């Protein structure tokens, strides 16, 4: 056996360091899979979170609350699309708080505002994709329809169709290989083009004895939509409808060590953060656990981190505590709880292995993201890295470092930079994901569990 170096250090498979966590990890991930199946969209995820916290003493934080005590648990629901959970600590707010911020939106296909059309006796929906997708991955898989649509009279309906076994699904077609000689010459990026992501929604015409109705298949589809949901074509202009893969979270591998599910970026961090927050009772420091929206399109919009919604809540908390919010910020620390790309041996070329995260090697600490020369990145300080590593080492959390691919090969970003604008220390910490942003992303159960342990350790930070 090779002698262990006193100075060098390798990042190892979790089982080599913590043999005994397998059962606990597998058990933890049963809850995670259930969470995933009821949280395909940000709205559904907020509902799942509200349902999960309902027996844990959380009260809505609003203007009627005039004082707060250590141990109080609060929530703020921002438009049903992002949510903030708060546990008041023993220490004064100006000494700083612990933020854990994950995002609950995922790449998908949104409907255009005038989506219904018929072409040659087939009815379709037009889509505009949301977030970074590889378009060729989306045809020929079953899709489900989710979202909210308002009617002319001001009432609305929440739609979720295609998730249950007996419900219809939807699909985008692709060309058969026999006739794809020209399509095969396209670059992978344009293998399927944006305007080819058209969803098949019907193929039987409405009964019309006089043969007078133009687009009778579209008419029949609209009739079914009206009979089922009491919605008409114009109502799609007052809607947010998302099409996502109609798959469920499943175990992967003979050893069942991995999970495949849609939307693990970033709900694989949101779920451990949620459980760690619920279990955070009577902490020293106040914890602020945020589940935000719109990260996948640059955190824009009033439910994303570019919005002031989180910082308004912080100001309200500071006002109640009689302290300056800026004093709170400068003493706070934030985990931007987001995923990183796991090293994939099949596509080894794009990774610099020594600095890439690997599945089953622990929660990933990502100092910087960004493009070419760290551009657009938060780039955490040595002090912040040291603080977070110490918290994890003290509580035997297994962690690894991660970088998003080789220098100059691509890049990406997280919400970290929007938090840092407030003079808050922040670093990315989350799960390594294979096939990220695909319809079926893959993670390792041991990593999910150690991410939960990392957030627990962080919230105990005093
Ligand atoms: Mn993400
Ligand atoms: Mn993402």
């Amino acid at each position: 056996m090779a002698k262990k170096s006193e100075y060098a250090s390798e990042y190892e498979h979790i089982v080599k360091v913590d043999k005994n966590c397998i059962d606990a990890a597998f058990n933890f991930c049963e809850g995670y899979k259930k969470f995933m199946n009821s949280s395909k969209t940000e709205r559904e995820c907020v509902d799942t979170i509200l349902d999960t916290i309902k027996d844990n003493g959380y009260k809505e934080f609003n203007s009627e609350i005039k004082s707060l005590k250590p141990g109080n648990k609060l929530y703020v629901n921002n438009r049903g699309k992002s949510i903030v959970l708060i546990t008041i600590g023993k220490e004064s707010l100006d000494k700083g708080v612990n933020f854990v911020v994950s995002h609950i939106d995922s790449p998908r296909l949104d409907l255009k505002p005038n989506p219904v059309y018929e072409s040659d006796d087939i009815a379709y929906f037009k889509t505009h994709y949301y977030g970074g997708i590889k378009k060729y991955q989306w045809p020929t898989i079953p899709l489900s329809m989710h979202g909210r649509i308002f009617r002319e009279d001001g009432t609305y309906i929440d739609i979720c169709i295609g998730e249950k076994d007996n419900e219809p699904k939807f699909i985008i077609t692709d060309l058969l290989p026999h006739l794809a000689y020209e399509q095969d010459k396209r670059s992978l990026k344009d293998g399927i083009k944006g305007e080819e992501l058209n969803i098949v929604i019907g193929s039987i015409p409405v009964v019309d004895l006089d043969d007078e109705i133009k687009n009778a298949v579209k008419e029949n589809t609209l009739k079914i939509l009206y009979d089922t949901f009491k919605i008409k074509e114009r109502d799609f202009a007052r809607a947010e409808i998302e099409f996502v893969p109609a798959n469920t979270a499943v175990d992967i591998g003979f050893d069942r060590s991995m999970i495949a599910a849609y939307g693990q970026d970033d709900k694989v961090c949101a779920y451990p953060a949620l459980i760690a927050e619920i279990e955070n009772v009577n902490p020293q420091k106040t914890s602020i656990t945020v589940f935000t929206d719109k990260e996948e399109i640059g955190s824009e919009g009033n439910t994303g981190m570019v919005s002031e919604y989180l910082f308004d809540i912080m100001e309200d908390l500071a006002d109640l505590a009689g302290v300056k919010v800026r004093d709170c910020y400068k003493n706070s620390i934030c985990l931007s709880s987001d995923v990183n790309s796991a090293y994939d041996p099949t596509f080894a070329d794009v990774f610099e292995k020594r600095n890439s995260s690997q599945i089953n090697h622990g929660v990933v600490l990502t100092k910087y993201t960004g493009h070419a020369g760290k551009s657009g990145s938060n780039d955490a300080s040595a002090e912040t890295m040291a603080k977070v590593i110490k918290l994890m080492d003290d509580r035997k959390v297994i962690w690894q470092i991660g970088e998003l691919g080789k220098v100059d090969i691509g890049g990406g970003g997280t919400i970290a930079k929007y938090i840092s604008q407030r003079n808050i220390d922040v670093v990315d910490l989350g799960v390594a994901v294979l096939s990220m942003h695909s319809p079926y992303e893959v993670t390792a159960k041991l990593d999910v569990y150690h991410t939960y342990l990392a957030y627990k350790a962080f919230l105990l930070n005093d």
Side-chain angles (χ1 to χ4, degrees):
M1 207 172 112
K3 200 175 162 213
K4 206 165 181 188
S5 166
E6 264 186 68
Y7 313 105
S9 160
E10 302 234 331
Y11 294 94
E12 291 181 302
H13 194 292
I14 289 178
V15 165
K16 287 194 182 152
V17 193
D18 182 6
K19 282 185 206 59
N20 302 319
C21 73
I22 297 178
D23 284 352
F26 278 41
N27 205 15
F28 183 80
C29 286
E30 289 306 304
Y32 171 53
K33 285 185 285 180
K34 277 204 197 90
F35 176 87
M36 291 306 281
N37 292 337
S38 66
S39 308
K40 290 268 178 102
T41 66
E42 61 282 357
R43 283 182 195 275
E44 290 173 4
C45 193
V46 166
D47 288 343
T48 304
I49 290 168
L50 285 168
D51 195 51
T52 311
I53 63 168
K54 71 176 186 297
D55 298 324
N56 296 95
Y58 286 86
K59 289 201 173 60
E60 190 177 5
F61 180 46
N62 54 32
S63 55
E64 278 159 38
I65 292 183
K66 301 290 182 217
S67 72
L68 291 167
K69 284 203 284 293
N72 283 170
K73 284 189 167 286
L74 307 158
Y75 73 88
V76 180
N77 177 352
N78 181 18
R79 296 171 166 83
K81 288 160 63 85
S82 53
I83 184 166
V84 180
L85 306 185
I86 303 159
T87 303
I88 303 296
K90 298 184 202 109
E91 207 172 86
S92 174
L93 205 70
D94 56 347
K95 299 279 189 335
V97 302
N98 295 324
F99 289 97
V100 177
V101 186
S102 58
H103 68 91
I104 54 175
D105 62 317
S106 299
R108 60 184 190 243
L109 304 177
D110 285 347
L111 285 195
K112 295 191 184 193
N114 186 21
V116 194
Y117 74 101
E118 174 177 336
S119 186
D120 302 282
D121 293 343
I122 301 176
Y124 295 93
F125 275 148
K126 290 297 293 180
T127 67
H128 193 141
Y129 63 95
Y130 171 99
I133 63 165
K134 291 166 96 175
K135 295 185 275 289
Y136 73 85
Q137 294 176 334
W138 290 73
T140 72
I141 59 168
L143 301 170
S144 56
M145 174 178 177
H146 301 246
R148 175 166 293 186
I149 182 161
F150 278 82
R151 308 178 182 103
E152 196 179 358
D153 66 5
T155 60
Y156 68 85
I157 183 160
D158 285 326
I159 293 175
C160 176
I161 181 165
E163 290 296 335
K164 300 201 183 95
D165 285 345
N166 60 350
E167 286 177 345
K169 325 266 186 242
F170 308 91
I171 205 157
I172 295 164
T173 57
D174 195 2
L175 207 46
L176 64 168
H178 317 62
L179 299 182
Y181 291 5
E182 288 303 315
Q183 186 193 32
D184 284 346
K185 290 181 199 156
R186 296 181 186 178
S187 68
L188 194 59
K189 184 171 171 290
D190 289 322
I192 292 288
K193 295 177 185 170
E195 293 293 352
E196 292 170 342
L197 291 171
N198 303 320
I199 301 173
V200 174
I201 56 170
S203 64
I204 288 182
V206 75
V207 179
D208 174 24
L209 299 175
D210 305 327
D211 202 24
E212 277 177 347
I213 289 179
K214 207 172 74 182
N215 295 326
V217 174
K218 173 181 169 181
E219 186 71 13
N220 191 48
T221 308
L222 287 172
K223 181 179 183 306
I224 294 169
L225 282 169
Y226 185 78
D227 291 346
T228 316
F229 303 116
K230 295 281 173 291
I231 54 172
K232 293 185 179 176
E233 185 171 24
R234 191 56 74 96
D235 296 333
F236 283 102
R238 38 184 163 243
E240 281 180 295
I241 302 291
E242 309 174 7
F243 277 76
V244 301
N247 56 32
T248 50
V250 292
D251 289 347
I252 295 288
F254 292 112
D255 57 9
R256 308 184 83 106
S257 60
M258 295 161 280
I259 291 173
Y262 161 72
Q264 297 205 71
D265 174 6
D266 180 34
K267 278 158 275 192
V268 73
C269 296
Y271 180 74
L274 172 63
I275 302 303
E277 159 61 38
I278 289 171
E279 292 175 358
N280 185 32
V281 176
N282 283 320
Q284 194 67 22
K285 282 186 187 294
T286 295
S287 68
I288 310 285
T289 306
V290 184
F291 305 88
T292 197
D293 184 26
K294 293 274 194 275
E295 193 278 341
E296 296 295 357
I297 56 166
S299 294
E300 306 291 347
N302 59 7
T303 51
M305 283 318 300
V306 164
S307 155
E308 293 291 315
Y309 77 90
L310 171 61
F311 309 108
D312 287 348
I313 295 168
M314 292 309 297
E315 271 194 36
D316 289 344
L317 287 173
D319 287 349
L320 282 181
V323 302
K324 277 190 186 152
V325 74
R326 70 171 80 135
D327 290 335
C328 172
Y329 289 155
K330 72 179 178 214
N331 294 317
S332 291
I333 181 161
C334 175
L335 296 182
S336 162
S337 305
D338 209 343
V339 299
N340 200 332
S341 170
Y343 172 80
D344 188 335
T346 304
F347 302 102
D349 281 6
V350 301
F351 297 95
E352 192 269 290
K353 199 176 170 193
R354 293 188 54 80
N355 286 285
S356 296
S357 59
Q358 276 183 271
I359 62 162
N360 286 309
H361 281 56
V363 62
V364 187
L365 185 60
T366 303
K367 184 179 186 298
Y368 51 86
T369 56
H371 306 258
K374 299 189 179 180
S375 176
S377 164
N378 161 65
D379 200 7
S381 68
E383 287 82 355
T384 307
M385 295 294 281
K387 218 183 271 180
V388 174
I389 288 170
K390 182 172 191 316
L391 284 168
M392 292 195 286
D393 282 347
D394 284 352
R395 294 183 171 93
K396 302 207 161 21
V397 176
I398 299 164
W399 59 274
Q400 57 180 323
I401 44 88
E403 188 184 35
L404 188 55
K406 274 182 181 166
V407 177
D408 289 343
I409 201 107
T414 65
I415 58 92
K417 63 177 180 179
Y418 305 109
I419 300 286
S420 67
Q421 286 168 358
R422 304 286 158 153
N423 193 23
I424 297 167
D425 284 328
V426 50
V427 65
D428 286 291
L429 190 77
V431 179
V433 178
L434 288 165
S435 304
M436 195 198 289
H437 280 212
S438 77
Y440 235 156
E441 299 172 308
V442 176
T443 58
K445 291 179 181 177
L446 297 179
D447 292 332
V448 180
Y449 183 62
H450 272 272
T451 300
Y452 157 71
L453 295 182
Y455 297 159
K456 291 270 281 185
F458 176 73
L459 294 181
L460 289 171
N461 166 28
D462 42 23

